Amino acid sequence: MSNLRISFPDGSVREFEKGTSGRQIAESISRGLAQKALACEVNGVVRDLSFPIEEDSTLKILTWDDTNGKQAFWHSTAHILAEAVQALYPHAKFGIGPSIENGFYYDIDFGDSVIKEEDLAAIEQKTAEMAAKNSTFRLYPVSKQEALDFYTSKHDNEYKRELIENLNDGEITFCDQGDFTDLCRGGHIPETGLVKAVKLTNIAGAYWRGNEKNKMLTRIYGISFPKKSMLDEYLTLLEEARKRDHRKLGKELELFTFSNNVGAGLPLWLPKGTELRERLERFMRDAQRRMGYLPVVTPHIGNKRLYITSGHYEKYGKDSFKPILTPEEGEEYFLKPMNCPHHCEIYKSKQRSYRDLPLRFAEFGTVYRYEQSGELSGLTRVRGFTQDDAHIFCRQDQVKEEFMQVIDLVLYVFKTLDFTEYTAQISLRDKVDRARYIGSEENWEKAESAIIEAAAEKGLPTVVEYGEAAFYGPKLDFMVKDAIGRKWQLGTIQVDYNLPERFELEYVAPDNGRERPVMIHRAPFGSLERFVAVLIEHCAGKFPLWLTPEQAMILPVSDKFGDYAKKVAQFVKNYDLRASIDERSEKIGKKIRDAELQKVPYMLIVGEKEEAENMVSVRRQGQGDLGTMSIESFVNLVESEIKGKLAQVEKEEV
RNA sequence: GCCGAUGUAGCUCAGCUGGUAGAGCAAUUGAUUUGUAAUCAAUAGGUCGGGGGUUCGAGUCCCUUCAUCGGCUCCA
């Protein structure tokens, strides 16, 4: 009897008999673990607990506390959902049913029947019934021919056949539970009965294999839990998240709006939102000035020629807004989709020497892009938006240093605004489809390695995504999640060898020869619109004190103290604090309530006592009464709060 | 653009199987002069997203269009 050496995550190694399953090993460790075990990870691959281990391996027993344990749980629930759907709709054909970050989905072709939201309840109930049957998940190998036969004669299903065609004979497995059989490579929980709570959350169309040329299947989203109470907690959490939605808060706090008459995806910034936005712009301008950026301003439209040169016309001309024609000459102008062509022309406005570089041209440039109607969403996806854009023109030997300086700037912005959870994504070309990009192989190689090196040298943890590059160059993107977990790209840094070539940019080298600069495109916010959206959700509308449109609301206890309230207002305004007075003849409780709901950080309550002693009674939003203090003390309090935060970030920067 | 859902007063929503619109908050006016999360009363406010149709009669049924929401695709 040959033995098996199994190493565990804690580093220990134990011997078992060949063919021992994950379940048996879990049982040998402890009964508790065996009970909690959902699946296991053998040499890093998620397997069913029944998987017989045949060679020396690393093994991790997965429970609900492991991400992969949850994934196995959710993926298994997708199977149960499919079983339920098959019972209710025998003609349904199944596509794929993976687990996702929060739950699972299954793509299903329902043939002629249209599945609506109201049908979900019945499917959900059936899924729960199927789970309660406590069937065992049984994974077993089949030959390619058997598999194809199954999905031809038993269940005619072209989707599964397509998947099988792309698999190697000998590596194909089916999974049974109850009366349901599915093509599956595994990673299941042992029995369906572990699923105690299922919620089908959503229904949506999804193209087969994500290709819009393919048929659109019906995608059913759901989530499941091993305890009912966990589902309730999850639903409460979702409810809370929805309260942070920037579209809801933007309306409530009067930051921005949309008008049908102006058009979809074209935000209108209200005064308070504009205050906020301008303050962010000022913050960025100050940071950029310190880093040697030069301000420029360019128009909102540009001649078609400009975009032919840049390559935008060829790539996106057909799918952008239609050109604007001059009435007499018939010249074609386009709304600018990007600022870089204009900035290239600024570079060309005079002869540049190697001594001038790097040149950093910065502009809050408003651009217009046609986005598909179904894609528009609040401030996160719009058709007109303002980028905190800049283009750095530098020598080849300066690329890495410049790139790293931009990483510093992005991280400074994130730190100042407490964005601690972001991912840095290196976006490279598609590995196969190179026709989507302009420029030579050599230039791309240089640009891609510059990004990878700079990020590595900065010690920035990154993930690499192929096929996500811009058409003219690779990017380093900073992604942040919104309230309901959707990922958005905020900051972006791009290295570009191609536009300088297309625009024939050059500088005079030390040897009096002519050389090409390298361009770095960068926008730490990305777009002001999206950044503000994510910021709103991040802080649930309670903006940092330095940023918030209204820092203090002065609340006179009655009309009698209106004059004193004005005096207080004038005093704090002299110290550049932003404050206004609630002059309504409402009771103080009402005024406090409204200020709290408007998320004004400080409330200054003034009445007889305060007027007599030249004081204010200070209340902090969300915290309550802070007591009475002199107006000067209040101003100091606010100033030190603001300085404290900013100074802390500055210090960490050094 | 595609799939599904939604669209009633400034906001949040009610309006059963078709019988010519309703609440709370907000607003306006008046009263109240108030002490740490909603003072009272009166008034005003809607061609029920737009257009077309069925019907004696449409917020309600049908078609179409626009917008919004959740996805898919796309994303300079």
Side-chain angles (χ1 to χ4, degrees):
Chain A
M1 187 68 63
S2 48
N3 279 353
L4 196 61
R5 288 172 59 82
I6 298 291
S7 13
F8 295 95
D10 64 0
S12 65
V13 178
R14 283 176 59 193
E15 296 206 357
F16 293 89
E17 241 172 61
K18 215 169 179 186
T20 305
S21 71
R23 181 201 303 272
Q24 288 167 322
I25 295 174
E27 278 165 354
S28 81
I29 296 171
S30 80
R31 178 175 303 199
L33 181 64
Q35 271 173 2
K36 286 201 303 184
L38 294 174
C40 58
E41 223 173 276
V42 182
N43 291 328
V45 180
V46 179
R47 303 282 188 185
D48 293 30
L49 282 172
S50 59
F51 178 77
I53 304 171
E54 301 292 351
E55 52 191 68
D56 292 354
S57 306
T58 61
L59 177 77
K60 185 178 179 193
I61 302 295
L62 298 173
T63 69
W64 180 258
D65 298 324
D66 301 292
T67 308
N68 282 338
K70 283 194 184 76
Q71 298 293 313
F73 191 89
W74 286 330
H75 167 67
S76 304
T77 316
H79 278 280
I80 307 172
L81 165 67
E83 185 183 2
V85 168
Q86 191 177 65
L88 294 168
Y89 305 88
H91 298 294
K93 292 176 183 175
F94 298 94
I96 56 166
S99 61
I100 50 178
E101 207 176 333
N102 281 304
F104 59 89
Y105 67 78
Y106 217 123
D107 282 347
I108 305 165
D109 181 355
F110 282 94
D112 292 332
S113 39
V114 178
I115 300 302
K116 297 185 178 167
E117 238 163 64
E118 60 203 47
D119 301 318
L120 283 185
I123 300 174
E124 183 177 298
Q125 202 191 335
K126 196 75 180 173
T127 307
E129 273 171 39
M130 292 296 181
K133 282 187 180 171
N134 204 19
S135 323
T136 306
F137 284 99
R138 191 173 68 86
L139 196 68
Y140 56 96
V142 291
S143 74
K144 192 161 184 171
Q145 196 53 50
E146 282 171 328
L148 288 170
D149 287 348
F150 180 85
Y151 282 114
T152 309
S153 43
K154 189 100 190 279
H155 288 281
D156 181 33
N157 185 325
E158 60 269 33
Y159 309 106
K160 294 289 186 189
R161 288 203 299 271
E162 191 182 319
L163 293 172
I164 293 164
E165 290 294 353
N166 291 316
L167 294 172
N168 295 322
D169 203 357
E171 293 175 4
I172 301 171
T173 50
F174 273 11
C175 181
D176 281 1
Q177 102 267 5
D179 298 327
F180 182 71
T181 301
D182 205 345
L183 169 72
C184 191
R185 76 164 75 88
H188 303 103
I189 56 177
E191 301 98 19
T192 62
L194 293 167
V195 177
K196 301 290 188 204
V198 191
K199 177 81 188 162
L200 300 185
T201 46
N202 206 346
I203 191 162
Y207 299 109
W208 169 238
R209 307 206 115 185
N211 187 332
E212 64 180 316
K213 291 189 186 94
N214 289 338
K215 182 163 182 185
M216 183 165 269
L217 308 180
T218 304
R219 175 171 296 179
I220 298 178
Y221 284 92
I223 192 163
S224 59
F225 295 92
K227 281 187 194 165
K228 275 219 165 60
S229 61
M230 292 170 95
L231 172 62
D232 296 336
E233 274 170 42
Y234 174 75
L235 293 176
T236 315
L237 213 71
L238 266 190
E239 203 58 42
E240 288 300 312
R242 278 190 244 277
K243 288 183 191 158
R244 303 167 79 98
D245 192 311
H246 77 278
R247 292 164 296 198
K248 183 175 154 61
L249 286 169
K251 195 179 276 179
E252 284 172 8
L253 303 180
E254 297 181 10
L255 300 174
F256 60 88
T257 189
F258 289 90
S259 157
N260 242 339
N261 297 325
V262 175
L266 300 170
L268 303 172
W269 289 79
L270 302 173
K272 281 183 187 168
T274 307
E275 280 260 13
L276 180 76
R277 174 186 158 137
E278 286 184 345
R279 213 159 297 282
L280 280 171
E281 288 182 13
R282 222 166 297 152
F283 163 70
M284 184 59 70
R285 279 204 180 94
D286 289 347
Q288 289 181 163
R289 198 179 43 243
R290 291 198 295 271
M291 289 181 157
Y293 285 79
L294 306 169
V296 294
V297 174
T298 66
H300 286 220
I301 63 173
N303 194 294
K304 177 177 169 181
R305 279 194 313 271
L306 189 63
Y307 303 111
I308 290 176
T309 304
S310 70
H312 289 102
Y313 183 75
E314 191 196 341
K315 280 281 161 195
Y316 299 102
K318 297 178 290 296
D319 300 319
S320 65
F321 285 107
K322 290 279 174 272
I324 302 161
L325 301 179
T326 56
E328 298 294 338
E329 307 84 346
E331 288 174 356
E332 287 184 70
Y333 289 85
F334 278 84
L335 280 168
K336 78 174 166 189
M338 288 186 85
N339 303 300
C340 33
H342 292 73
H343 290 185
C344 284
E345 292 299 321
I346 289 178
Y347 181 89
K348 285 173 82 171
S349 65
K350 66 179 256 196
Q351 192 179 52
R352 308 287 179 181
S353 149
Y354 75 98
R355 294 166 178 277
D356 300 331
L357 305 184
L359 274 171
R360 310 181 186 91
F361 295 141
E363 170 178 21
F364 286 90
T366 304
V367 295
Y368 299 88
R369 300 173 184 179
Y370 174 77
E371 298 287 355
Q372 294 187 13
S373 58
E375 190 55 50
L376 300 173
S377 174
L379 283 186
T380 45
R381 175 70 102 247
V382 288
R383 285 178 175 165
F385 57 94
T386 302
Q387 297 177 308
D388 57 330
D389 209 0
H391 295 91
I392 300 169
F393 299 86
C394 65
R395 304 190 305 261
Q396 173 62 40
D397 62 292
Q398 294 169 323
V399 172
K400 198 192 284 178
E401 197 190 329
E402 285 301 310
F403 199 92
M404 291 196 295
Q405 193 201 39
V406 179
I407 294 178
D408 285 339
L409 177 60
V410 173
L411 296 182
Y412 167 68
V413 170
F414 280 19
K415 202 175 276 180
T416 306
L417 292 162
D418 281 327
F419 282 17
T420 48
E421 284 178 43
Y422 57 86
T423 44
Q425 173 182 311
I426 296 180
S427 303
L428 304 178
R429 275 173 304 174
D430 192 288
K431 279 179 172 168
V432 187
D433 178 12
R434 299 260 147 127
R436 284 156 57 184
Y437 311 98
I438 59 168
S440 69
E441 188 69 21
E442 189 199 343
N443 281 346
W444 274 88
E445 293 289 340
K446 271 197 283 187
E448 292 185 346
S449 55
I451 290 186
I452 294 166
E453 280 172 33
E457 213 155 300
K458 271 280 146 202
L460 191 70
T462 54
V463 292
V464 175
E465 289 288 339
Y466 292 91
E468 294 292 314
F471 77 91
Y472 50 77
K475 312 188 281 180
L476 176 63
D477 292 329
F478 292 82
M479 327 282 285
V480 176
K481 282 188 194 164
D482 71 8
I484 52 177
R486 291 176 297 198
K487 263 190 177 179
W488 296 101
Q489 177 201 310
L490 293 181
T492 178
I493 319 174
Q494 310 169 3
V495 178
D496 180 5
Y497 285 84
N498 291 316
L499 289 190
E501 227 160 67
R502 297 181 76 105
F503 279 92
E504 300 180 324
L505 306 183
E506 41 179 49
Y507 62 87
V508 181
D511 63 0
N512 207 26
R514 300 295 187 268
E515 291 189 12
R516 256 233 208 290
V518 183
M519 247 173 115
I520 297 173
H521 310 239
R522 41 107 287 172
F525 290 147
S527 93
L528 264 308
E529 285 73 6
R530 184 179 289 173
F531 192 85
V532 167
V534 174
L535 178 64
I536 291 170
E537 306 203 347
H538 181 71
C539 64
K542 296 169 193 168
F543 300 108
L545 192 56
W546 64 275
L547 199 54
T548 198
E550 195 96 74
Q551 293 170 313
M553 184 67 79
I554 299 159
L555 312 177
V557 170
S558 85
D559 293 351
K560 284 190 279 194
F561 312 106
D563 287 342
Y564 181 62
K566 286 197 184 90
K567 198 179 137 197
V568 173
Q570 196 50 55
F571 189 93
V572 299
K573 278 181 189 168
N574 288 344
Y575 284 91
D576 280 336
L577 292 192
R578 303 182 288 282
S580 44
I581 308 172
D582 186 345
E583 290 176 302
R584 298 172 304 169
S585 70
E586 291 287 352
K587 294 180 94 154
I588 191 68
K590 169 73 167 168
K591 293 183 187 182
I592 286 168
R593 180 181 154 81
D594 287 347
E596 288 277 351
L597 291 176
Q598 280 294 306
K599 306 186 201 304
V600 180
Y602 284 105
M603 284 148 272
L604 303 181
I605 291 141
V606 293
E608 194 173 351
K609 256 195 332 230
E610 288 77 9
E611 179 163 18
E613 294 165 26
N614 219 27
M615 306 274 260
V616 286
S617 177
V618 180
R619 187 186 162 97
R620 174 88 216 204
Q621 200 272 347
Q623 287 175 22
D625 196 354
L626 299 186
T628 311
M629 61 182 81
S630 69
I631 314 178
E632 290 86 347
S633 311
F634 171 69
V635 170
N636 287 337
L637 177 75
V638 171
E639 283 183 345
S640 63
E641 185 180 334
I642 291 173
K643 283 205 189 105
K645 172 64 198 168
L646 293 178
Q648 184 196 335
V649 176
E650 302 279 341
K651 208 160 82 190
E652 285 169 19
E653 279 311 292
V654 176

